C-alpha cells in the first residue's frame, strides 16, 4: 500500500569536497549578475532546489518501500479469509551491528544516522531491569486498532516491542488497513472482528496473548475476551471503549455530556443503502483530524494518518455486547488513560473505569487520542510494565 511510510529514512548523502582551484576573472562579465553577492544567491537557490528534490525523493522511497513490504506479505505470507492480512512485523528488517561495541541498537536496513526523534532507550535497558521473556506468561502482543485506523498506526510500538524480543501481531480488522472487505457491507461486530478471532482460534493449546485495544478496538477485544478467555493473558484498553454488559459503543459515547462541536463537525455519515435507511459507515473530516485525534502528534504521523485512515462501519458501533463475569470477567484488565484526548476526553474514560473497574489504571500525560504517535516511548514502557505483572 503506497501510502504507508517506512520506519526509517535513507542515509543522508555525503557531500564531496571540491578541489580548490583559482578562478580567473572574466573580463567580459559585468553588472549585478556577475558580482560575489550574485554568486552566493545562485548557490543558495541551487542548494535549496537540491534539498527540495532530496526530500521529495525520500518521501517517494518511503512509499515504495512500504508498498513493497505489504505486497510481499500479501503474496508470500498467506492471507486469511476475506483478505485479512495480519501486520505482524514492523516495516523494517533489522540486522546485527558489526564491530565490537556493546549494547548498541540493531541497525535498520536503511543504515541512516540517528535523528533527534529516534528512541533514546535501548532494548537492554528494560530487559536488564528484570524482564526475562522466558519467565513471562506470554511474550506475544496482539494490537487492535481503533475506528478508521489500521495496523499501520502501531508501527512505532511494533518496532519498540520487537527490539525487546517480543512477538507482535498488529491486526487489520475487516475493511481496515489493507484488508479488502467492503466496509459498507459489514453488518455485525462478529464480522468486523473476524480477523482477530481467527488468530485467537488458531492459537495452540495453552498459548496465550496480551490484547491491546485502542478506541473502538476496546469493544473488539471485549468481544474476543468473551469468546476466548483462556487464550488471553491480559487485556489492555488504550483510550478505548471499555463497555459493560448490554452496552454498545454508541451508548458509551452518549454518556459524554454535551458532545463537542469538533466531533459533530468531523463526522460524515455514509448512506450506501439510501438516506431512508441507517448509515452504513462514518468518515471523519480530514481537515479536522489534527485537532480531534492528533493534537499532540508529530506532523509526519498526522500526514500518514490522513492518507491511510478509512471509514468506520456503523453497525458494529450500534451492537450491544453480551459480557459475562465467568468469561469476560475472568480476564485481567488494565486501562491506559490519555490526558490530552479530544476524541474520548479523560472524563469519559474515567466514567468507563468507574463503571467497570479494571485491575489497574495508568495515565499518559501529554498523550492525545493517538498515544502510539504522541507518546510512543511512554506507551512502550507501560506495555512492558503490564507484561511483567505476574499471574495471580
Amino acid at each position: 500500500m503506497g501510502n504507508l511510510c517506512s520506519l526509517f529514512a535513507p542515509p543522508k548523502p555525503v557531500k564531496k569536497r571540491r578541489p580548490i582551484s583559482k578562478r580567473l576573472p572574466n573580463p567580459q562579465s559585468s553588472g549585478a549578475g556577475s558580482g560575489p553577492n550574485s554568486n552566493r544567491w545562485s548557490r543558495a537557490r541551487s542548494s535549496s532546489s537540491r534539498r527540495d528534490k532530496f526530500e521529495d525523493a525520500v518521501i517517494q522511497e518511503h512509499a515504495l518501500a512500504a508498498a513493497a513490504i505489504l505486497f510481499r506479505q500479501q503474496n508470500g505470507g498467506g492471507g486469511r479469509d476475506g483478505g485479512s492480512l495480519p501486520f505482524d512485523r514492523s516495516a523494517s528488517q533489522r540486522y546485527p551491528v558489526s564491530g565490537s561495541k556493546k549494547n548498541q541498537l540493531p541497525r535498520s536496513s536503511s543504515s541512516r544516522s540517528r535523528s533527534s526523534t529516534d528512541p533514546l532507550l535501548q532494548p537492554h535497558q528494560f530487559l536488564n531491569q528484570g524482564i526475562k521473556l522466558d519467565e513471562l506468561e506470554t511474550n506475544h502482543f496482539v494490537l487492535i486498532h481503533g475506528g478508521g485506523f489500521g495496523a499501520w498506526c502501531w508501527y512505532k510500538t511494533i518496532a519498540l516491542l520487537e527490539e525487546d524480543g517480543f512477538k507482535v501481531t498488529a491486526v487489520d480488522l475487516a475493511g481496515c488497513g489493507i484488508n479488502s472487505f467492503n466496509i459498507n457491507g459489514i453488518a455485525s461486530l462478529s464480522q468486523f472482528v473476524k480477523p482477530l478471532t481467527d488468530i485467537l482460534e488458531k492459537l495452540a493449546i495453552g498459548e496465550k496473548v496480551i490484547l491491546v485495544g485502542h478506541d473502538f478496538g476496546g469493544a473488539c477485544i471485549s468481544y474476543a475476551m468473551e469468546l476466548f478467555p483462556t487464550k488471553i493473558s491480559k487485556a489492555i484498553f488504550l483510550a478505548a471503549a471499555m463497555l459493560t454488559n448490554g452496552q454498545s459503543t454508541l451508548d458509551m459515547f452518549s454518556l459524554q455530556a454535551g458532545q463537542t462541536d469538533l466531533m459533530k463537525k468531523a463526522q460524515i455519515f455514509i448512506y450506501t443503502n439510501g438516506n431512508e435507511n441507517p448509515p452504513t459507515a462514518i468518515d471523519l473530516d480530514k481537515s479536522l483530524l489534527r485537532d480531534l485525534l492528533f493534537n499532540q502528534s508529530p506532523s509526519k504521523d498526522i500526514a500518514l494518518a490522513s492518507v491511510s485512515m478509512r471509514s468506520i462501519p456503523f453497525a458494529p458501533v450500534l451492537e450491544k455486547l453480551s459480557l459475562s463475569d465467568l468469561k469476560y470477567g475472568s480476564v485481567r484488565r488494565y486501562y491506559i488513560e490519555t490526558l490530552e484526548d479530544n476524541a474520548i476526553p479523560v472524563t469519559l474514560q474515567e466514567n468507563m473505569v468507574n463503571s467497570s473497574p479494571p485491575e489497574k489504571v495508568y495515565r499518559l500525560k501529554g498523550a492525545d487520542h493517538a498515544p502510539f504517535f504522541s507518546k510512543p516511548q511512554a506507551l512502550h514502557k507501560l506495555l512492558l510494565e503490564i507484561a511483567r505483572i505476574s499471574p495471580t
Side-chain angles (χ1 to χ4, degrees):
M1 191 171 174
N3 52 28
L4 293 178
C5 295
S6 173
L7 289 181
F8 302 98
K12 295 181 178 179
V14 179
K15 294 183 178 179
K16 296 183 179 180
R17 183 173 297 175
R18 295 181 178 178
I20 299 175
S21 61
K22 294 183 179 180
R23 289 188 177 181
L24 295 176
N26 185 355
Q28 296 180 350
S29 62
S30 61
S34 60
N37 291 335
S38 175
N39 290 338
R40 284 196 297 270
W41 173 245
S42 298
R43 287 195 298 271
R45 285 192 299 176
S46 176
S47 175
S48 175
S49 176
R50 287 196 301 270
R51 187 162 53 247
D52 290 342
K53 289 180 180 178
F54 174 71
E55 290 174 354
D56 290 343
V58 168
I59 293 172
Q60 185 177 7
E61 185 170 340
H62 284 179
L64 291 174
I69 291 165
L70 293 174
F71 181 81
R72 287 198 300 271
Q73 288 180 334
Q74 189 169 11
N75 291 277
R80 284 182 167 77
D81 294 340
S84 170
L85 293 172
F87 187 30
D88 56 2
R89 289 186 59 82
S90 65
S92 75
Q93 300 214 349
R94 301 171 191 77
Y95 300 91
V97 181
S98 59
S100 59
K101 292 184 179 180
K102 296 182 178 180
N103 298 330
Q104 287 184 312
L105 280 172
R107 295 178 67 184
S108 73
S109 57
S110 64
S111 303
R112 65 167 174 81
S113 304
R114 285 183 65 84
S115 73
S116 59
T117 60
D118 285 344
L120 298 178
L121 296 175
Q122 298 188 16
H124 66 275
Q125 288 182 275
F126 284 120
L127 294 175
N128 291 344
Q129 290 178 8
I131 294 183
K132 295 181 179 179
L133 295 179
D134 55 355
E135 294 181 2
L136 299 177
E137 184 179 17
T138 180
N139 68 345
H140 187 181
F141 279 91
V142 177
L143 310 178
I144 307 302
H145 61 81
F149 291 85
W152 51 265
C153 73
W154 299 104
Y155 79 94
K156 293 180 182 179
T157 303
I158 293 170
L160 290 170
L161 289 172
E162 285 187 343
E163 285 168 359
D164 282 341
F166 286 91
K167 179 180 178 180
V168 186
T169 303
V171 182
D172 275 319
L173 298 175
C176 301
I178 60 172
N179 186 290
S180 61
F181 200 94
N182 179 11
I183 202 77
N184 291 292
I186 296 175
S188 66
L189 185 60
S190 62
Q191 196 174 17
F192 185 55
V193 303
K194 190 175 186 301
L196 169 60
T197 54
D198 283 349
I199 290 173
L200 295 176
E201 190 174 17
K202 294 174 183 177
L203 291 176
I205 296 176
E207 185 179 357
K208 293 188 176 186
V209 299
I210 298 173
L211 289 184
V212 183
H214 169 247
D215 183 75
F216 184 43
C220 299
I221 67 172
S222 297
Y223 180 88
M225 291 158 65
E226 181 69 20
L227 290 181
F228 303 99
T230 60
K231 295 188 176 185
I232 302 167
S233 169
K234 301 178 180 75
I236 303 172
F237 292 78
L238 176 62
M242 188 170 66
L243 310 178
T244 57
N245 181 43
Q247 191 179 35
S248 71
T249 302
L250 186 63
D251 293 335
M252 179 271 294
F253 275 109
S254 68
L255 296 176
Q256 183 176 337
Q259 190 182 33
T260 64
D261 289 338
L262 183 61
M263 176 65 81
K264 291 179 181 178
K265 290 179 182 178
Q267 293 174 344
I268 303 171
F269 291 93
I270 301 173
Y271 295 85
T272 302
N273 299 326
N275 292 339
E276 67 280 4
N277 294 307
T280 54
I282 309 170
D283 264 342
L284 295 177
D285 187 337
K286 285 183 168 48
S287 68
L288 299 176
L289 289 181
R290 179 187 293 270
D291 293 334
L292 181 64
L293 305 177
F294 310 119
N295 48 296
Q296 302 293 322
S297 296
S299 295
K300 62 183 180 181
D301 293 323
I302 300 174
L304 169 65
S306 68
V307 296
S308 303
M309 292 188 71
R310 298 177 64 179
S311 302
I312 305 165
F314 193 64
V317 176
L318 297 176
E319 188 168 327
K320 297 182 183 295
L321 294 185
S322 178
L323 305 174
S324 66
D325 291 337
L326 181 63
K327 295 181 179 179
Y328 169 84
S330 67
V331 181
R332 303 175 74 179
R333 288 180 292 123
Y334 303 84
Y335 200 98
I336 300 178
E337 295 179 352
T338 45
L339 303 189
E340 303 296 330
D341 196 325
N342 289 338
I344 304 182
V346 67
T347 52
L348 181 55
Q349 296 179 50
E350 290 176 347
N351 284 342
M352 291 186 286
V353 166
N354 293 332
S355 298
S356 180
E359 188 170 318
K360 190 170 182 179
V361 178
Y362 300 85
R363 311 189 92 195
L364 269 180
K365 294 181 180 179
D368 57 21
H369 191 59
F372 34 74
F373 290 159
S374 57
K375 288 291 179 180
Q377 287 286 351
L379 173 60
H380 175 236
K381 184 176 180 180
L382 290 183
L383 295 180
L384 292 180
E385 182 176 334
I386 296 171
R388 64 182 172 187
I389 295 176
S390 301
T392 54

